[in-house]
Amino acid sequence: MATVNGIVPARFLTLIAHLIITINLYWTRRDNIEACLPETYTQDQYNQKDTELLVGLSLTLAFAAVELTGFFTGISMFLPTVGMLSTAAHASAAVSLSYFVFEQWECNLYWWVFGFCSAFPLVVEIGAMIAILGFKKT
Protein backbone atom coordinates (compact mmCIF):
# COMPACT_ATOMS: atom_id res chain seq x y z
CA MET A 1 0.00 0.00 0.00
CA ALA A 2 2.96 2.35 0.52
CA THR A 3 3.68 2.25 -3.21
CA VAL A 4 0.14 3.31 -4.06
CA ASN A 5 0.31 6.17 -1.54
CA GLY A 6 3.51 7.43 -3.20
CA ILE A 7 2.00 7.26 -6.67
CA VAL A 8 -1.06 9.34 -5.81
CA PRO A 9 0.77 12.65 -5.14
CA ALA A 10 3.22 12.01 -7.98
CA ARG A 11 0.35 11.43 -10.39
CA PHE A 12 -1.40 14.59 -9.24
CA LEU A 13 1.74 16.71 -9.55
CA THR A 14 2.69 15.43 -13.00
CA LEU A 15 -0.85 15.91 -14.29
CA ILE A 16 -0.92 19.47 -12.96
CA ALA A 17 2.55 20.14 -14.46
CA HIS A 18 1.30 18.90 -17.82
CA LEU A 19 -1.73 21.19 -17.53
CA ILE A 20 0.36 24.23 -16.60
CA ILE A 21 2.78 23.72 -19.48
CA THR A 22 -0.12 23.20 -21.89
CA ILE A 23 -1.69 26.47 -20.77
CA ASN A 24 1.69 28.18 -21.09
CA LEU A 25 2.04 26.77 -24.58
CA TYR A 26 -1.40 28.11 -25.43
CA TRP A 27 -0.27 31.60 -24.43
CA THR A 28 3.03 31.40 -26.33
CA ARG A 29 1.97 29.39 -29.37
CA ARG A 30 2.87 32.17 -31.83
CA ASP A 31 6.61 31.38 -31.60
CA ASN A 32 6.01 27.69 -32.20
CA ILE A 33 3.69 28.39 -35.12
CA GLU A 34 6.30 30.61 -36.72
CA ALA A 35 8.89 27.85 -36.24
CA CYS A 36 6.61 25.53 -38.25
CA LEU A 37 6.29 27.87 -41.20
CA PRO A 38 8.75 28.78 -43.93
CA GLU A 39 10.55 32.12 -43.75
CA THR A 40 7.93 33.74 -45.94
CA TYR A 41 4.42 32.55 -45.26
CA THR A 42 0.91 33.72 -45.97
CA GLN A 43 -1.74 34.55 -43.43
CA ASP A 44 -3.68 31.45 -44.53
CA GLN A 45 -0.71 29.20 -43.73
CA TYR A 46 -0.35 30.84 -40.33
CA ASN A 47 -4.08 30.47 -39.59
CA GLN A 48 -4.00 26.80 -40.60
CA LYS A 49 -1.09 26.00 -38.26
CA ASP A 50 -2.66 28.10 -35.51
CA THR A 51 -5.93 26.19 -35.80
CA GLU A 52 -4.07 22.87 -35.84
CA LEU A 53 -2.13 23.67 -32.69
CA LEU A 54 -5.18 25.19 -30.99
CA VAL A 55 -7.19 22.00 -31.61
CA GLY A 56 -4.37 19.89 -30.17
CA LEU A 57 -4.06 22.08 -27.08
CA SER A 58 -7.83 22.12 -26.56
CA LEU A 59 -8.01 18.33 -26.82
CA THR A 60 -5.16 18.04 -24.34
CA LEU A 61 -7.02 20.22 -21.85
CA ALA A 62 -10.24 18.24 -22.36
CA PHE A 63 -8.43 14.91 -21.91
CA ALA A 64 -6.77 16.21 -18.75
CA ALA A 65 -10.17 17.28 -17.41
CA VAL A 66 -11.49 13.74 -17.89
CA GLU A 67 -8.44 12.31 -16.15
CA LEU A 68 -8.75 14.75 -13.26
CA THR A 69 -12.41 13.81 -12.93
CA GLY A 70 -11.53 10.14 -12.63
CA PHE A 71 -8.75 10.97 -10.22
CA PHE A 72 -10.70 13.33 -7.94
CA THR A 73 -13.77 11.09 -7.79
CA GLY A 74 -11.52 8.29 -6.58
CA ILE A 75 -12.36 5.96 -9.46
CA SER A 76 -8.75 5.50 -10.49
CA MET A 77 -6.90 7.17 -7.63
CA PHE A 78 -5.68 3.99 -5.96
CA LEU A 79 -5.13 1.80 -9.02
CA PRO A 80 -1.35 1.36 -9.15
CA THR A 81 -1.13 0.43 -12.84
CA VAL A 82 -3.21 3.40 -13.94
CA GLY A 83 -1.26 5.63 -11.57
CA MET A 84 2.12 4.55 -12.90
CA LEU A 85 1.09 4.86 -16.56
CA SER A 86 -0.45 8.26 -15.94
CA THR A 87 2.55 9.50 -13.95
CA ALA A 88 5.04 8.33 -16.58
CA ALA A 89 3.01 9.78 -19.47
CA HIS A 90 2.41 13.16 -17.84
CA ALA A 91 5.98 13.48 -16.61
CA SER A 92 7.15 12.77 -20.17
CA ALA A 93 4.67 15.33 -21.45
CA ALA A 94 5.87 17.97 -19.00
CA VAL A 95 9.48 17.50 -20.06
CA SER A 96 8.68 17.26 -23.78
CA LEU A 97 6.41 20.27 -23.81
CA SER A 98 8.99 22.29 -21.88
CA TYR A 99 11.41 21.63 -24.71
CA PHE A 100 8.61 22.35 -27.18
CA VAL A 101 8.15 25.81 -25.65
CA PHE A 102 11.80 26.74 -25.11
CA GLU A 103 13.35 25.18 -28.21
CA GLN A 104 10.42 26.14 -30.49
CA TRP A 105 9.94 22.69 -31.98
CA GLU A 106 7.87 22.21 -35.11
CA CYS A 107 4.12 21.86 -34.68
CA ASN A 108 4.03 18.34 -36.09
CA LEU A 109 6.02 17.06 -33.11
CA TYR A 110 3.21 18.16 -30.82
CA TRP A 111 0.99 15.39 -32.17
CA TRP A 112 3.50 12.73 -31.12
CA VAL A 113 3.56 14.13 -27.59
CA PHE A 114 -0.25 14.36 -27.68
CA GLY A 115 -0.68 10.76 -28.76
CA PHE A 116 1.67 9.19 -26.24
CA CYS A 117 1.21 11.56 -23.33
CA SER A 118 -2.45 12.67 -23.52
CA ALA A 119 -4.48 10.24 -25.61
CA PHE A 120 -2.92 7.05 -24.23
CA PRO A 121 -3.50 7.99 -20.55
CA LEU A 122 -7.08 8.96 -21.46
CA VAL A 123 -7.73 5.53 -22.97
CA VAL A 124 -6.31 3.87 -19.84
CA GLU A 125 -8.42 6.14 -17.61
CA ILE A 126 -11.61 5.43 -19.55
CA GLY A 127 -10.82 1.72 -19.43
CA ALA A 128 -10.46 1.95 -15.66
CA MET A 129 -13.73 3.89 -15.39
CA ILE A 130 -15.56 1.29 -17.47
CA ALA A 131 -14.07 -1.58 -15.46
CA ILE A 132 -14.95 -0.04 -12.12
CA LEU A 133 -18.29 1.61 -12.87
CA GLY A 134 -19.56 -0.78 -15.52
CA PHE A 135 -18.25 -4.13 -14.36
CA LYS A 136 -17.77 -3.30 -10.66
CA LYS A 137 -14.16 -4.56 -10.74
CA THR A 138 -11.33 -3.15 -8.64
Side-chain angles (χ1 to χ4, degrees):
M1 193 64 171
T3 305
V4 174
N5 290 337
I7 292 173
V8 172
R11 180 178 177 198
F12 175 74
L13 290 174
T14 56
L15 185 54
I16 295 300
H18 186 183
L19 270 174
I20 289 170
I21 293 171
T22 301
I23 292 167
N24 187 16
L25 182 56
Y26 174 77
W27 288 336
T28 62
R29 70 183 188 275
R30 171 175 286 226
D31 295 332
N32 289 95
I33 292 169
E34 290 174 353
C36 300
L37 297 168
E39 239 177 81
T40 57
Y41 57 87
T42 65
Q43 187 63 35
D44 288 337
Q45 289 173 318
Y46 180 87
N47 291 341
Q48 180 184 5
K49 288 293 184 183
D50 185 39
T51 302
E52 179 183 327
L53 191 57
L54 190 60
V55 166
L57 294 171
S58 299
L59 285 173
T60 299
L61 292 174
F63 288 5
V66 171
E67 278 195 77
L68 281 171
T69 300
F71 181 76
F72 285 138
T73 58
I75 294 171
S76 65
M77 185 180 289
F78 297 108
L79 298 175
T81 305
V82 175
M84 282 302 298
L85 287 171
S86 179
T87 301
H90 292 297
S92 300
V95 171
S96 299
L97 291 180
S98 295
Y99 277 105
F100 190 83
V101 169
F102 292 123
E103 299 293 325
Q104 297 177 356
W105 286 355
E106 290 205 18
C107 298
N108 297 336
L109 293 176
Y110 180 79
W111 292 104
W112 287 96
V113 175
F114 173 80
F116 288 113
C117 301
S118 292
F120 178 66
L122 176 74
V123 170
V124 172
E125 183 76 27
I126 289 175
M129 287 178 174
I130 290 171
I132 290 175
L133 297 176
F135 302 124
K136 305 292 184 208
K137 292 187 177 187
T138 56

